[in-house]
Amino acid sequence: MTAAAPSPKANMGQPVPRYDAAAKVTGRATYASDMPLDNPAYAFLLTSAIAKGRIDRFDLDDAKRVRGVIEIVTHENAPKLKESKLFSNGGYAGTTIQPLKSADIAHDGQIIAVVVAESYEAAREAANRVKVSYTATAPSASFDSPGTTTAAAKGQNAQFKEDPAVGDFAKAFDAAEVKLTAAYDTPTQHHNPMELFSTSCAWMGDNLVIYEGSQFVYGLKNGVAEQLGIDADKVRVVNPYVGGGFGSRGSMTPRTAIIAGIAKRLGRPIKLVPTRDQGFTITTHRAETRQEIKLGANRDGKLLALRHEGAEVSSRADAYCVGGTKTTTRLYACPNVDSLVSIVRADRNTPGFMRSPPEVPYLFALESAMDALAVKLNMDPVELRRINDTTNEPIGGKPYTSRSLMACFDEAAKAFGWAQRSPQPKSMSDGDWLIGYGCAATCYPTQMGPSAARVRLQRDGRTRVEIAGHEIGTGAYTVIAQTAAERLGVPLEKVAVFMGDSDLPPAPVAGGSNSTASTCSAVMMVCDQIRQRLFKAAMPAQSLTDRAKETVGLGQTPATQAAKGDRPLDIEKAFDALGVGVVEEYGEWKPEGAPLDSFRAMHNGQVRLVGGHAMKDQIAYAFGAEFVEVRVNRFTHEIRCPRLVGAFAAGRIMNPRTARSQLMGGLIWGMSSALLEATEIDERNARYVNDNLADYLVPVNADVAGVEVILLSEQDDRINPVGVKGLGELANVGTNAAICNAIHHATGQRIRKLPVRLENIEV
Amino acid sequence: MRPFSYQRATDPDMAVQALSAAAAANHPLSQAIAQPLAGGTTLIDLMKLDVMRPAAIVDINPLAQAWSAIEPGSDSLRLGALAKMSDVAAHAEIQRNYPVIASSLKLAASAQLRNMATLGGNVMQRTRCSYFRDVSYENCNKRNPGSGCAAMDGVNRMHAVLGTSDQCIATYPGDLAQALIALDAVVEITGRAGTRSIPFAELHKAPGNSPDIETTLQPGELISAFSIQGRWPRSVYLKARDRQSYEFALSSAAIALDVQDGTIRDARVGLGGVATMPWRAREAEALLKGQKFDEALAQRVADAAFADARGRRHNSFKIALGKRVVARALQQAVTMEI
Ligand SMILES: Cc1cc2nc3c(=O)[nH]c(=O)nc-3n(C[C@H](O)[C@H](O)[C@H](O)COP(=O)(O)OP(=O)(O)OC[C@H]3O[C@@H](n4cnc5c(N)ncnc54)[C@H](O)[C@@H]3O)c2cc1C
Ligand code: SF4
């Protein structure tokens, strides 16, 4: 075993290499824009240079003269499309601002024209030659701009149902011996997946094929069908590989139906590859937030009162919010809790999910405040968490299905060398560098959704798994193949997995860290259906269900079963008895507590996730603890983070290799979010300024010196059949606070606004 | 990108001819319709962004044979304009006798870019001002003379505090130029009338009232080499930036000293990341000459270097930062082992 492939502990699968590793490192994996098309035309987008106002006139003469231009589509001649509701209101769209519908402009970088040409180069050149006259009105950019409106999230966002509260916060806070009030700011961020937001559309008669990196092929298929006004069964979305999603490809963006409509009109496949900077405005982003935390505790560190208020910026059109108070009000034992989330409307595009949407901004505030409280109490911050650890969440009193938070703190603290920390700020240094150690808790809700799968087993053991799941780089192919191999007792090499195609059985959106739990539960169930058929054929007399459960359990590899000599069934004999060459089963699985309309919704591309705090008698979260070393240069004030150590417990770990990779990426992203990432907005015109990967800073290799991921063994049989909590979004939650806490330790300075840049340091 | 003609120059005459023939005399070099192509890491980027729209590209890479030599002499150095950043940075004699040059290159851009990019292209690279690079902004005096400056009251954290004008506050982004200006490098220029030489300090121009004119090179002229007299083993390049690599300077200092028996005989101070052009802090240098080094002196020198600095909304921090960088770099240069 290597660092990249940690040895499995109890309740962990094997760290087998990625199913798609060879295809990816050799460049054979095909992404949306790699898909061969028959005689395609190329589209290039033109986006608005103002954030609010209207288009008076296009001057297209120059552009039309470019050789190879086929058509320039503007609001004056765009295909007519039906509206789709926001995903949270029962629709599919990530924004209800539909471009090319009228001359109106609602946000910076809105699509205002599509140039179609015989080549990408001609389309791009012509787009450069289009002249647009606007009448601009002064836009409201963000919190501090005049003209915004603010209102409580509750009542305007269908998915934000309550501001969690319990007890009497005001009274308890008043009476508390130790109090803390602090405000926190988090910036706009953009996902910037490596794969651009490409879309290709090809019609075959009335049938449409869409090649687009998507985290939800069923959602996209149904959404585009709705916009085009055609039967969803005529639309197919294909994307065997997705070059990173991080939430940016979770809901439908306006571009897809537009391209499909133009392709239909021209009777020709169309390929669109937008530029990096267009990606900042034609999809969603993480909204900036402003928050305030109030904590009241007794001298021993017991929390008595907690209030968390957050404001988030959304568009004029849509009341999107992430409302992370649902998590922060439930993380620690505290009898008196209050919270409020509000939405500020500005002239911006509608924000959307970005990796751990609610937890990243809101836990930054809570975990920074916890550290500050520990300092006030003169207490080790780890101990403060221990004192307030709980088995039941305080709002509804529901028990956590399992919770290894303190075990994670203890393991990570040991590996990190927390005991060597001298608690006094500014007390550790190395040459030009002040050293700070900091830590924070991390958590993410366990979620799952209804999923279907088809599995086909051949006499020789060859297995084919079909499921419209998504490989966004997480390892989905790998863990699905492992599940089928283990369940059917066939060698892993014999399992082929087909995903990323809406003609396959539906799976939920690859978001909310639900994929492994949902898809593997469905695949496991369908494999069991096959086993039942084989058992029934081979041993008609026995009680087969029981036998099947007994003899092959999840986590036993075929090899270990063989060694034990209890392989229950000769597959070939069973096939002979059945008299067939292939056994194929289809099944639909839904988690406990899923709504009645689950399966219908699943086929309609509508998300029905259950889990987290919204379960009936319990609450399910994965936990972790993160420790970081930060170095601050005395002279330049440059901030570097050479060491990140995280310990995580997330139920069953299907594959320690892919799990570690997810968590490592999360820690690095968390560091990036704390120290580098922010989309700058020009307040005068509500436009993004640093909309490219040179100016939108993300870490380079030299910034990531040491990352250690510790996987804790945890078993949770109360969440779903595979016992998986999901960990894709677990690691980047705690890092923001851990880093700011470490900066405080290094410099004595408490920074509450992200990202922390060298000009924010005073030493 | 717009269509352009592409021509490979097989000898310097041909390059100069091609560039002069296509160049309209009334365009400044930055907007000349014919542009030389070296590594292309600035030029092609700006063409894709539609910022530069040359109709003709003259590829000068075939001149590498003659123009890429790295020639350390016994008391001098000559660097061909087509030498690659990575080759110069890795050269043992340059690391030993001109560490400020080697590290200014090594700390610049990324390994991939340094392998492509040339010294000539590097000193000629253009500002990273976001408004300059985004043609959807009308108002950029550098790109569109007389149109105003979007950065002045916009997002200007990366912008300059020295050498600014009411017309433009764009930072000169390169690193090598600070080392060259500090070491009094001479630029060898090849044009129609043969070669001429100018001090490096006379290559770039402050924005003043015409930020579109960035250098004194004329259309049809090429940089063929840089040369430096003397050796500068006691020299450093210190660069403060947001991340550990692959990032432009927020502030940098190129320092070269001649110290004998504890007394500073000669001192050179170049500043990067803070000025509109490669910047030499001569007033600061004057304070150092003939002195013995201590922290108080370093502070006075740093203050002098930024005496004329003017910050705007987001970049004022560069003044204090720049001073600390100068003071620290001086200290490093004084104490370095040579
Ligand atoms: C993401 C990124 C990060 C970067 N970071 C840094 C950094 O940290 N520090 C730094 O210093 N640089 C940095 N750079 C800039 C990079 O160093 C320059 O792009 C490169 O040095 C330019 O050299 P080139 O040979 O590719 O020039 P080209 O792009 O070929 O040419 C640049 C310009 O100079 C002209 N030109 C080229 N050669 C000559 C010549 N011999 N005579 C006259 N004119 C000529 C061209 O016509 C063109 O206008 C970065 C660039 C990128 C893209
Ligand atoms: S600072 Fe200079 S380059 Fe930038 S917008 Fe202003 S004029 Fe243009």
Side-chain angles (χ1 to χ4, degrees):
Chain A
M1 297 289 144
T2 62
S7 311
K9 300 176 185 162
N11 199 27
M12 294 188 191
Q14 290 297 313
V16 301
R18 279 172 195 267
Y19 179 88
D20 43 349
K24 282 189 173 163
V25 298
T26 56
R28 275 186 290 115
T30 41
Y31 294 82
S33 63
D34 302 326
M35 293 297 189
L37 296 171
D38 181 13
N39 188 31
Y42 296 83
F44 194 86
L45 302 178
L46 187 67
T47 55
S48 68
I50 63 167
K52 188 180 184 185
R54 48 183 291 120
I55 299 162
D56 294 329
R57 206 169 57 83
F58 284 104
D59 177 353
L60 303 176
D61 294 350
D62 223 14
K64 281 185 175 157
R65 273 196 289 273
V66 172
R67 207 168 68 195
V69 169
I70 300 167
E71 184 164 2
I72 301 177
V73 179
T74 68
H75 66 274
E76 286 159 2
N77 60 349
K80 293 273 168 283
L81 299 170
K82 298 202 167 55
E83 284 171 30
S84 177
K85 284 187 282 200
L86 204 68
F87 67 90
S88 53
N89 293 334
Y92 302 96
T95 175
T96 61
I97 301 168
Q98 182 61 38
L100 301 186
K101 220 176 77 180
S102 73
D104 294 338
I105 290 174
H107 65 86
D108 170 36
Q110 181 177 316
I111 298 170
I112 55 170
V114 184
V115 180
V116 185
E118 296 292 343
S119 70
Y120 173 80
E121 291 75 14
R124 187 168 185 170
E125 186 200 347
N128 283 340
R129 290 178 188 271
V130 172
K131 292 183 204 72
V132 193
S133 321
Y134 302 98
T135 299
T137 352
S140 310
S142 187
F143 289 116
D144 294 326
S145 315
T148 58
T149 57
T150 304
K154 189 178 158 181
Q156 52 172 333
N157 178 311
Q159 285 184 344
F160 190 87
K161 296 198 178 74
E162 53 147 348
D163 282 306
V166 72
D168 186 342
F169 165 80
K171 204 166 132 210
F173 184 71
D174 252 10
E177 288 170 305
V178 183
K179 285 186 219 176
L180 181 121
T181 301
Y184 300 88
D185 282 23
T186 63
T188 311
Q189 294 181 335
H190 276 81
H191 320 75
N192 280 309
M194 283 314 291
E195 184 189 4
L196 295 165
F197 293 102
S198 306
T199 298
S200 294
C201 288
W203 290 85
M204 271 162 281
D206 286 344
N207 288 358
L208 169 65
V209 182
I210 301 168
Y211 299 107
E212 177 179 311
S214 165
Q215 292 173 252
F216 193 21
V217 290
Y218 265 74
L220 189 58
K221 153 190 156 134
N222 281 279
V224 172
E226 182 182 73
Q227 282 205 275
L228 295 172
I230 61 174
D231 183 352
D233 285 342
K234 298 207 153 84
V235 180
R236 180 178 176 201
V237 178
V238 180
N239 60 9
Y241 301 100
V242 181
F246 315 117
S248 64
R249 307 181 201 271
S251 39
M252 176 174 67
T253 72
R255 73 185 193 274
T256 315
I258 293 173
I259 296 299
I262 299 173
K264 174 101 193 178
R265 182 195 291 173
L266 295 183
R268 218 172 137 176
I270 293 191
K271 182 189 248 189
L272 166 74
V273 182
T275 59
R276 175 63 62 189
D277 62 314
Q278 290 172 346
F280 278 73
T281 60
I282 64 168
T283 65
T284 64
H285 57 274
R286 193 197 291 285
E288 59 270 39
T289 74
R290 287 194 176 165
Q291 304 171 56
E292 189 191 71
I293 296 250
K294 285 181 187 288
L295 293 179
N298 69 18
R299 289 245 169 264
D300 300 334
K302 197 104 202 67
L303 284 177
L304 302 172
L306 180 158
R307 183 168 201 282
H308 195 169
E309 186 171 338
E312 309 176 24
V313 171
S314 189
S315 62
R316 299 275 185 203
D318 301 310
Y320 180 87
C321 75
V322 297
T325 47
K326 59 181 167 247
T327 293
T328 54
T329 55
R330 292 179 168 93
L331 183 54
Y332 294 114
C334 180
N336 302 290
V337 178
D338 191 21
S339 67
L340 177 66
V341 171
S342 47
I343 302 178
V344 175
R345 305 292 193 97
D347 296 299
R348 299 275 295 283
N349 197 2
T350 306
F353 323 107
M354 183 162 158
R355 200 173 186 176
S356 345
E359 283 72 23
V360 161
Y362 283 78
L363 242 78
F364 162 61
L366 177 64
E367 286 298 287
S368 296
M370 287 295 278
D371 195 76
L373 181 64
V375 170
K376 272 200 166 191
L377 292 162
N378 204 10
M379 182 180 276
D380 184 318
V382 177
E383 294 317 305
L384 181 63
R385 268 87 174 190
R386 199 184 310 280
I387 288 167
N388 292 291
D389 193 23
T390 181
T391 53
N392 291 56
E393 54 90 11
I395 304 295
K398 293 185 284 190
Y400 279 95
T401 57
S402 59
R403 173 167 160 131
S404 308
L405 177 65
M406 291 322 297
C408 290
F409 264 110
D410 292 338
E411 287 272 330
K414 199 163 76 203
F416 180 81
W418 183 249
Q420 274 94 62
R421 172 187 193 252
S422 81
Q424 204 52 38
K426 281 172 120 165
S427 62
M428 294 169 69
S429 64
D430 175 13
D432 284 3
W433 298 89
L434 300 170
I435 296 178
Y437 288 179
C439 67
T442 197
C443 70
Y444 195 78
T446 299
Q447 303 185 91
M448 41 261 149
S451 179
R454 188 182 298 114
V455 180
R456 167 191 162 113
L457 175 69
Q458 284 183 223
R459 191 189 158 95
D460 61 4
R462 274 188 291 159
T463 303
R464 180 184 169 101
V465 182
E466 297 182 347
I467 180 165
H470 311 83
E471 178 57 73
I472 53 176
T474 49
Y477 278 113
T478 315
V479 296
I480 287 175
Q482 282 178 283
T483 303
E486 286 172 12
R487 210 65 196 167
L488 294 174
V490 301
L492 189 59
E493 316 79 72
K494 292 207 169 181
V495 182
V497 182
F498 291 81
M499 292 201 306
D501 183 340
S502 67
D503 274 3
L504 302 175
V509 60
S513 297
N514 87 85
S515 277
T516 303
S518 311
T519 59
C520 291
S521 291
V523 168
M524 195 168 107
M525 186 194 84
V526 178
C527 287
D528 284 351
Q529 290 169 206
I530 291 185
R531 289 157 46 94
Q532 304 287 320
R533 273 178 69 185
L534 294 175
F535 274 114
K536 214 173 268 180
M539 298 174 279
Q542 299 204 21
S543 160
L544 302 162
T545 321
D546 294 351
R547 181 69 200 266
K549 279 205 178 121
E550 234 167 68
T551 48
V552 184
L554 194 75
Q556 293 172 283
T557 64
T560 56
Q561 287 155 31
K564 278 202 253 155
D566 67 348
R567 193 179 170 101
L569 182 80
D570 182 329
I571 290 190
E572 300 203 358
K573 270 198 195 134
F575 270 95
D576 287 345
L578 273 173
V580 298
V582 165
V583 178
E584 185 171 292
E585 283 288 329
Y586 168 89
E588 296 181 343
W589 174 85
K590 68 175 177 180
E592 229 180 276
L596 273 179
D597 75 341
S598 281
F599 288 134
R600 185 158 43 99
M602 171 178 85
H603 287 277
N604 290 340
Q606 280 162 336
V607 180
R608 295 286 185 273
L609 293 186
V610 299
H613 74 281
M615 296 163 90
K616 210 162 140 260
D617 304 316
Q618 51 188 12
I619 171 168
Y621 273 75
F623 291 94
E626 301 180 2
F627 288 72
V628 303
E629 175 182 328
V630 158
R631 293 180 163 230
V632 179
N633 189 291
R634 294 176 204 276
F635 301 97
T636 62
H637 299 181
E638 287 167 298
I639 312 160
R640 302 289 183 255
C641 177
R643 224 149 52 88
L644 295 149
V645 177
F648 306 94
R652 179 172 169 77
I653 303 298
M654 302 296 280
N655 179 330
R657 180 198 299 264
T658 53
R660 171 184 173 271
S661 169
Q662 279 295 293
L663 295 163
M664 180 172 66
L667 285 168
I668 295 168
W669 199 352
M671 182 259 276
S672 177
S673 161
L675 297 177
L676 299 169
E677 284 186 48
T679 311
E680 314 274 1
I681 302 155
D682 190 325
E683 282 169 22
R684 301 168 301 177
N685 54 24
R687 301 191 65 196
Y688 295 137
V689 179
N690 57 337
D691 53 359
N692 60 77
L693 280 181
D695 296 324
Y696 183 92
L697 300 175
V698 294
V700 295
N701 263 328
D703 291 302
V704 187
V707 189
E708 190 184 345
V709 171
I710 301 160
L711 297 166
L712 262 68
S713 184
E714 183 182 68
Q715 180 138 2
D716 190 330
D717 299 326
R718 295 160 73 184
I719 38 178
N720 51 55
V722 276
V724 161
K725 281 185 172 176
L727 47 71
E729 292 164 275
L730 178 57
N732 61 320
V733 172
T735 333
N736 290 294
I739 286 181
C740 288
N741 298 343
I743 290 174
H744 176 262
H745 182 228
T747 65
Q749 214 187 321
R750 187 62 73 181
I751 299 182
R752 302 184 189 86
K753 185 174 191 288
L754 297 180
V756 189
R757 295 269 168 82
L758 59 74
E759 61 264 38
N760 308 126
I761 302 278
E762 296 150 18
V763 274
Chain B
M1 208 185 265
R2 306 190 177 216
F4 55 89
S5 72
Y6 171 87
Q7 197 176 347
R8 282 170 76 78
T10 47
D11 62 64
D13 278 352
M14 183 185 164
V16 167
Q17 285 299 332
L19 288 167
S20 332
N26 55 349
H27 280 144
L29 180 75
S30 59
Q31 277 154 35
I33 55 170
Q35 294 284 343
L37 173 76
T41 61
T42 287
L43 181 62
I44 305 293
D45 263 20
L46 291 175
M47 287 168 68
K48 284 192 196 159
L49 294 172
D50 212 29
V51 171
M52 288 180 80
R53 305 171 181 181
I57 290 295
V58 180
D59 186 345
I60 58 172
N61 286 293
L63 310 182
Q65 193 77 358
W67 283 12
S68 64
I70 302 172
E71 297 167 291
S74 59
D75 195 34
S76 65
L77 172 66
R78 190 172 185 279
L79 298 168
L82 286 176
K84 299 285 185 191
M85 289 170 76
S86 50
D87 291 337
V88 180
H91 199 283
E93 281 183 69
I94 293 174
Q95 289 175 352
R96 193 163 52 245
N97 297 324
Y98 306 92
V100 65
I101 293 182
S103 53
S104 73
L105 289 168
K106 194 165 168 265
L107 297 176
S110 66
Q112 292 88 338
L113 284 159
R114 294 193 294 270
N115 286 339
M116 284 295 286
T118 63
L119 300 192
N122 185 278
V123 304
M124 294 296 287
Q125 69 176 282
R126 308 197 61 197
T127 185
R128 309 299 292 192
C129 170
S130 319
Y131 302 99
F132 169 74
R133 291 170 67 88
D134 183 346
V135 294
S136 74
Y137 281 87
E138 195 85 349
N139 44 342
C140 168
N141 289 324
K142 191 185 271 302
R143 181 164 36 77
N144 195 0
S147 62
C149 170
M152 203 68 73
D153 298 310
V155 175
N156 49 31
R157 175 174 184 262
M158 298 300 288
H159 285 71
V161 294
L162 287 167
T164 57
S165 74
D166 293 341
Q167 308 295 315
C168 180
I169 55 170
T171 303
Y172 170 80
D175 290 300
L176 171 66
Q178 329 310 336
L180 295 179
I181 200 169
L183 301 188
D184 270 339
V186 169
V187 188
E188 182 191 292
I189 296 167
T190 299
R192 252 183 302 186
T195 64
R196 64 182 180 105
S197 291
I198 57 165
F200 189 84
E202 288 172 19
L203 179 63
H204 291 84
K205 298 183 71 169
N209 282 326
S210 36
D212 56 322
I213 300 173
E214 294 171 351
T215 67
T216 54
L217 277 194
Q218 296 301 317
E221 285 189 321
L222 285 167
I223 299 175
S224 37
F226 305 94
S227 56
I228 289 160
Q229 286 307 309
R231 286 183 169 179
W232 294 90
R234 185 173 294 287
S235 64
V236 298
Y237 189 72
L238 180 64
K239 180 175 180 180
R241 46 187 168 168
D242 283 318
R243 58 186 171 192
Q244 187 61 19
S245 177
Y246 198 17
E247 185 50 34
F248 292 95
L250 287 167
S251 170
S252 70
I255 306 282
L257 299 177
D258 176 6
V259 182
Q260 277 164 35
D261 304 325
T263 301
I264 300 168
R265 302 272 160 202
D266 196 356
R268 306 293 176 80
V269 179
L271 304 179
V274 291
T276 53
M277 57 180 197
W279 197 259
R280 179 93 176 254
R282 291 184 196 271
E283 327 69 48
E285 293 173 0
L287 293 177
L288 284 160
K289 282 181 199 156
Q291 303 296 310
K292 295 211 186 294
F293 183 82
D294 60 29
E295 269 187 34
L297 177 63
Q299 194 51 56
R300 283 204 305 283
V301 170
D303 288 343
F306 284 87
D308 296 330
R310 272 187 26 203
R312 311 257 343 153
R313 177 148 178 222
H314 304 112
N315 69 352
S316 296
F317 74 94
K318 284 188 174 181
I319 300 173
L321 170 65
K323 290 181 187 179
R324 291 194 308 268
V325 166
V326 167
R328 182 64 186 149
L330 278 170
Q331 169 108 43
Q332 285 179 351
V334 168
T335 54
M336 74 189 284
E337 304 264 340
I338 57 169

